[in-house]
């Protein structure tokens, strides 16, 4: 399910969404990094996990909104 998540959506007419998006990305990476460290996710799949982070933070929203 996480790999299909569109990411954090906000109204970006103000300056505040930018730090929120950065905080979201850091929390996502921290969550997945801890899962790999605790052997809840396989370390052999780091490329796939990295692609999932990229998709969640950018590609899924781009595809969903047809940008």
């Amino acid at each position: 399910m996480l790999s299909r998540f569109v990411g954090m959506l906000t109204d970006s007419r103000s300056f505040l969404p930018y730090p929120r998006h950065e905080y979201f990305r850091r929390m996502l990476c921290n969550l997945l990094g801890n899962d790999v460290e605790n052997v809840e996710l396989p370390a052999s799949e780091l490329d796939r996990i990295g692609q999932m982070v990229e998709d969640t933070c950018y590609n899924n929203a781009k595809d969903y909104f047809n940008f």
Side-chain angles (χ1 to χ4, degrees), residues 4-5 9-10 12-13 20 27-31 34 43 46 48 50-51 53 56 58-59 65:
R4 299 304 226 171
F5 184 53
L9 301 175
T10 61
S12 61
R13 291 179 286 179
R20 289 184 199 149
M27 286 178 45
L28 176 64
C29 291
N30 189 36
L31 171 77
N34 285 337
L46 288 179
R48 190 170 175 192
Q51 184 63 49
V53 170
T56 301
Y58 179 73
N59 294 328
F65 292 110

Side-chain angles (χ1 to χ4, degrees), residues 1-16:
M1 296 281 294
L2 185 60
S3 65
R4 299 304 226 171
F5 184 53
V6 177
M8 186 179 145
L9 301 175
T10 61
D11 181 7
S12 61
R13 291 179 286 179
S14 69
F15 177 71
L16 291 177

